[in-house]
Amino acid sequence: LLEMQCLSMNNKKTLYYDKSIEEIEKIKTLNKKPILGIHVCCGPCSTFPLLFLASYFQIKILYCNSNIYPSSEYYRRLNELKKYVEIFNKEHSQDVEIIEFEYDNTSYNKDLEPYKDDYEGGNRCKLCYAKRMDMTYKYADEHNYDYFTTVMTISRQKNSYVLNEIGEKLSHKYKTKYFYSDFKKKQGIDKSIELRKKYNLYNQEYCGCIYSYQKYLEKINK
C-alpha cells in the first residue's frame, strides 16, 4: 500500500469517463447484469453513480470507511446512505445491497498518523484511498464479483487520475475487473448535488479522518 503514495500521473490524458462508457457498451451485449462491488463513502456521493450504473450492473455497495472520525459521524453517514438506497431501490425497482465493513478507527489511523500534517489530497489521502479500495476490492474478488469501482471519483476534492491509478494497480492483484470512472464528468457532479438536495441528504463538512476533522474545527472556530 505504501508504494501507492507515489502514484505517477503519466496518463493524465486518459479520459476515464469515456473508458466507463466503452465498458458499458460491452456490458450491454451480455444477457445478464454483471455484479459490481462499489466502494461508497457516503450517501451524497452515491447518488449519481447509482443512477449511472444501476441499469447495467447488479450493485453491491461496500461501505468500508474506518477513516471517518468520530464514530457518530461514521454512523450518521452510514444511515444517510441507507436512507438513500432504500429510496433508490423503491423508485428505480432495484435491489442494491449495502455490505458494511467493521469500523475500527484506532487501528486504521496507525498507517495515516505519520502523514497527519500532510495537506488535503497529499500522501495521507492517497494512502487512505488505497487502503479502503484495497479492502473492498479484496472482498469483491473473494466473492467472485465481476467488477469493482469506487464512487470517490464523483468528488471535486478528489483526483480521479489518482483514484483510477490505484484501481488499475489493484486490478493486477485481483481477478475481478476494475471499472474505470470519472463520475463528476458530463454534469455528474451537478446531478449529484440536485439529488442530494431533492432527498435532503446530510452533506458532511469535512472529508472524514480525524486530521481533516481537526482542520474543519480550526476553520469554524477562527
Side-chain angles (χ1 to χ4, degrees):
L1 284 175
L2 289 174
E3 66 178 306
M4 291 185 182
Q5 298 169 54
C6 302
L7 291 168
S8 70
M9 294 177 65
N10 295 328
N11 296 320
K12 279 193 173 183
K13 293 183 179 178
T14 302
L15 300 176
Y16 291 114
Y17 175 84
D18 290 350
K19 287 177 74 73
S20 68
I21 295 299
E22 288 170 10
E23 196 63 34
I24 284 172
E25 289 303 314
K26 295 176 187 175
I27 290 166
K28 285 180 179 178
T29 67
L30 305 176
N31 56 14
K32 68 173 185 176
K33 288 184 177 182
I35 300 174
L36 170 70
I38 182 167
H39 166 255
V40 168
C41 52
C42 63
C45 285
S46 72
T47 49
F48 176 69
L50 288 185
L51 196 60
F52 181 74
L53 297 168
S55 296
Y56 314 108
F57 294 99
Q58 181 182 344
I59 298 175
K60 307 288 187 182
I61 286 177
L62 306 175
Y63 188 77
C64 175
N65 299 293
S66 283
N67 59 307
I68 298 174
Y69 178 89
S71 60
S72 57
E73 181 72 13
Y74 170 90
Y75 288 108
R76 186 175 186 181
R77 296 186 192 189
L78 174 60
N79 288 334
E80 285 298 285
L81 174 64
K82 289 178 177 178
K83 168 184 159 182
Y84 177 68
V85 169
E86 183 177 359
I87 293 169
F88 181 84
N89 281 340
K90 287 180 180 177
E91 289 191 352
H92 299 280
S93 301
Q94 296 291 329
D95 59 351
V96 175
E97 177 186 1
I98 300 173
I99 297 153
E100 182 187 354
F101 285 56
E102 181 183 2
Y103 176 68
D104 186 354
N105 182 253
T106 301
S107 296
Y108 190 90
N109 284 338
K110 288 178 181 177
D111 288 335
L112 302 188
E113 201 275 337
Y115 309 98
K116 62 184 177 65
D117 296 322
D118 272 14
Y119 63 91
E120 197 76 14
N123 286 334
R124 183 187 72 241
C125 295
K126 292 174 186 176
L127 178 58
C128 186
Y129 308 154
K131 280 172 64 68
R132 287 180 287 155
M133 288 176 69
D134 190 23
M135 292 169 71
T136 46
Y137 209 140
K138 181 174 184 288
Y139 182 94
D141 194 64
E142 289 175 344
H143 289 78
N144 299 311
Y145 292 179
D146 301 290
Y147 289 87
F148 168 82
T149 196
T150 176
V151 300
M152 291 192 288
T153 63
I154 191 72
S155 173
R156 287 195 182 106
Q157 285 72 45
K158 293 178 174 62
N159 190 313
S160 295
Y161 296 105
V162 169
L163 291 164
N164 282 293
E165 284 189 344
I166 292 172
E168 184 171 354
K169 228 178 230 300
L170 291 171
S171 73
H172 299 298
K173 182 177 179 180
Y174 300 114
K175 299 186 299 295
T176 296
K177 190 170 185 178
Y178 179 68
F179 183 84
Y180 292 91
S181 72
D182 197 347
F183 294 118
K184 68 174 72 65
K185 296 297 185 183
K186 303 295 183 180
Q187 289 79 51
I189 185 64
D190 299 321
K191 293 171 185 174
S192 181
I193 292 169
E194 288 173 10
L195 289 166
R196 170 175 59 81
K197 291 178 179 178
K198 178 180 179 180
Y199 298 110
N200 193 29
L201 296 176
Y202 163 64
N203 192 46
Q204 55 270 14
E205 298 294 333
Y206 62 99
C207 183
C209 75
I210 187 171
Y211 311 112
S212 63
Y213 178 64
Q214 289 168 346
K215 290 291 184 183
Y216 163 68
L217 292 180
E218 289 173 12
K219 180 179 178 181
I220 64 174
N221 290 323
K222 280 185 178 179

